[in-house]
Amino acid sequence: MAIKVRIEKSVGRFKLDVGFQTESRRIGILGASGCGKSMTLKCIAGIETPDQGSIVIDERVLYDRNVNIKPQKRKVGYLFQNYALFPTMTVEDNIGAGLKGKKEEKKQMISKMIEKFRLEGLRDRLPGELSGGQQQRVALARIMAYEPEVILLDEPFSALDEFLKDRLQQELMQMLEDYGGTVILVSHSRDEIYRFSEELIIMDEGKTICQGKTKEIFANPEWKEAARLTGCKNITEAKRIDRHHVSVPAWGVTLILRKEVPEGLHWIGVRAHDFIPIWKKAGEEKLQRDESSENRILLVTDSVAELPFEKKYFLKTAYETEHICWFVQREQWDLLDERGMPDYLEIPEEKILLLQ
């Protein structure tokens, strides 16, 4: 199902100017809080009206200059952050709220949803008597009863603790496995987005900055803000010297690359788990270098945060202009205990992110 979105909308000083086109069935929109993700979903659902633009789903125009289809006629289901269940209505009544048709048809659809979402025995309970997972299933059952073409998930796990969040993410993915329509998940959590989506749209300050296959963007973000949002902790200014050399002043290194350096380069990024520790041999005043080992940073330890399963080192370069984050998994701790802190961190070329 093709989705084409072009939205412009101003709210006070904030301006949303976002556009994307996709035929993927599982789409993630990633961005920091306040970047316009939820407003984008609300415009698609018809809850908010753009100032101008167009919204087209499967060649059906939902919004354009002379068209603005009412939310209840858009065939779009919206799962709110708090699930928005009616607190004084039972599970059965919540699922059936707003359903049109004959009484017997509505009853059959409600029973079908109760069975599909494993809500047997909960028909007569109120939302306040349900667990978080049960509330999520009721909210999704209510949406699916409408047989929507598109489901919009607006930060559905943002208020949950980590244990419950992980379990409900898995439950939601299982419940949507046999749904043939399109699902768009909005989140500021890169883990949620990576786990759920096959295509990724990244937003920053009301604009779309990149779009592509989720795993490809995580592997090669290309843009500084995309790298930051996908979890890169080390991003610093860089200067292209020529096709195969990059100067990184804050780290005191010139990187030598086999691949070609793009002319639009302004930043480089290295994820905190991707450094390789290097120690000098006994008696060496400095490390003997060759062309294959130039991409090394001389470091001084500043502080360490020890967590249950990893250690986070915050390191100064020899120039002390910027900190570098180096995260070490638990299985590497014995090596560090035996040999002490490394003299250098090496950056494998395939792990260097060249950013615009």
Side-chain angles (χ1 to χ4, degrees):
M1 180 182 298
I3 295 179
K4 299 178 184 178
V5 172
R6 187 81 188 95
I7 297 168
E8 293 183 29
K9 183 176 177 62
S10 297
V11 180
R13 294 183 179 181
F14 179 79
K15 183 174 182 180
L16 181 68
D17 185 0
V18 64
F20 59 87
Q21 180 174 339
T22 179
E23 294 186 5
S24 296
R25 291 179 56 246
R26 299 294 181 263
I27 303 157
I29 301 180
L30 178 64
S33 296
C35 75
K37 305 185 301 299
S38 292
M39 189 183 294
T40 299
L41 288 198
K42 288 175 181 176
C43 288
I44 295 172
I47 300 169
E48 295 276 358
T49 301
D51 298 331
Q52 58 182 332
S54 64
I55 301 168
V56 182
I57 296 178
D58 203 21
E59 299 185 356
R60 179 170 173 253
V61 179
L62 304 186
Y63 174 81
D64 209 332
R65 181 179 299 176
N66 300 312
V67 177
N68 189 12
I69 295 177
K70 293 180 179 180
Q72 58 269 32
K73 294 185 178 181
R74 291 196 176 198
K75 296 184 179 179
V76 173
Y78 196 113
L79 185 65
F80 292 87
Q81 292 181 19
N82 62 357
Y83 309 134
L85 298 175
F86 297 107
T88 59
M89 292 172 61
T90 65
V91 166
E92 188 173 37
D93 291 338
N94 262 287
I95 294 173
L99 273 181
K100 299 187 184 302
K102 296 179 180 179
K103 184 176 180 180
E104 188 58 33
E105 290 174 344
K106 290 170 62 177
K107 187 176 179 180
Q108 288 178 0
M109 177 58 77
I110 292 168
S111 294
K112 179 181 175 182
M113 292 298 106
I114 284 176
E115 181 181 355
K116 176 179 174 61
F117 291 99
R118 308 190 310 275
L119 296 166
E120 299 92 340
L122 303 176
R123 282 176 176 265
D124 298 323
R125 292 195 187 181
L126 299 174
E129 301 172 315
L130 304 175
S131 68
Q134 290 166 341
Q135 288 183 33
Q136 183 188 77
R137 296 205 299 274
V138 173
L140 197 56
R142 182 173 63 184
I143 289 171
M144 296 291 276
Y146 285 94
E147 300 179 322
E149 294 177 350
V150 178
I151 293 176
L152 309 177
L153 306 177
D154 189 0
E155 302 261 16
F157 312 108
S158 60
L160 304 175
D161 63 65
E162 288 301 319
F163 176 78
L164 187 58
K165 182 185 297 186
D166 192 59
R167 182 168 61 81
L168 292 189
Q169 284 175 8
Q170 188 60 36
E171 280 193 10
L172 182 61
M173 290 173 68
Q174 290 171 347
M175 286 186 286
L176 291 171
E177 275 180 358
D178 61 351
Y179 172 62
T182 298
V183 183
I184 303 177
L185 169 67
V186 150
S187 180
H188 62 270
S189 167
R190 64 181 183 274
D191 294 339
E192 288 176 19
I193 291 289
Y194 189 87
R195 185 176 185 178
F196 173 84
S197 65
E198 60 190 50
E199 183 154 4
L200 175 60
I201 297 157
I202 292 184
M203 290 182 60
D204 182 43
E205 296 182 350
K207 298 182 183 297
T208 306
I209 60 172
C210 67
Q211 177 182 352
K213 298 299 181 184
T214 300
K215 291 184 178 179
E216 291 176 6
I217 290 180
F218 270 76
N220 185 24
E222 294 189 5
W223 295 85
K224 176 189 175 185
E225 188 61 20
R228 188 184 70 79
L229 287 168
T230 56
C232 184
K233 302 295 184 185
N234 301 295
I235 300 174
T236 190
E237 289 189 64
K239 181 179 180 181
R240 181 184 187 270
I241 298 174
D242 57 36
R243 293 170 60 188
H244 298 287
H245 294 82
V246 177
S247 172
V248 188
W251 295 354
V253 294
T254 296
L255 301 176
I256 302 172
L257 306 179
R258 290 182 294 275
K259 61 186 175 184
E260 188 164 337
V261 180
E263 292 190 5
L265 175 81
H266 292 290
W267 310 84
I268 69 153
V270 182
R271 298 191 188 278
H273 294 97
D274 287 340
F275 293 106
I276 297 175
I278 302 292
W279 288 267
K280 292 184 293 190
K281 293 180 181 178
E284 284 185 339
E285 291 186 8
K286 62 180 182 178
L287 195 68
Q288 297 299 312
R289 291 172 172 243
D290 57 40
E291 189 172 337
S292 65
S293 62
E294 284 291 329
N295 301 340
R296 291 171 174 169
I297 306 169
L298 180 63
L299 295 169
V300 179
T301 306
D302 190 22
S303 63
V304 182
E306 185 170 331
L307 302 177
F309 303 105
E310 69 178 2
K311 289 182 180 179
K312 297 184 176 183
Y313 292 89
F314 301 94
L315 309 168
K316 294 179 181 178
T317 68
Y319 292 80
E320 298 191 7
T321 55
E322 284 189 19
H323 282 79
I324 289 177
C325 298
W326 177 37
F327 296 171
V328 181
Q329 300 295 317
R330 189 167 190 164
E331 56 267 23
Q332 295 179 290
W333 291 3
D334 289 344
L335 179 62
L336 290 176
D337 290 341
E338 177 186 341
R339 303 194 64 179
M341 282 297 296
D343 300 290
Y344 300 86
L345 289 183
E346 184 170 297
I347 315 169
E349 177 174 343
E350 66 273 14
K351 300 298 185 181
I352 297 172
L353 305 178
L354 304 176
L355 307 172
Q356 300 180 48

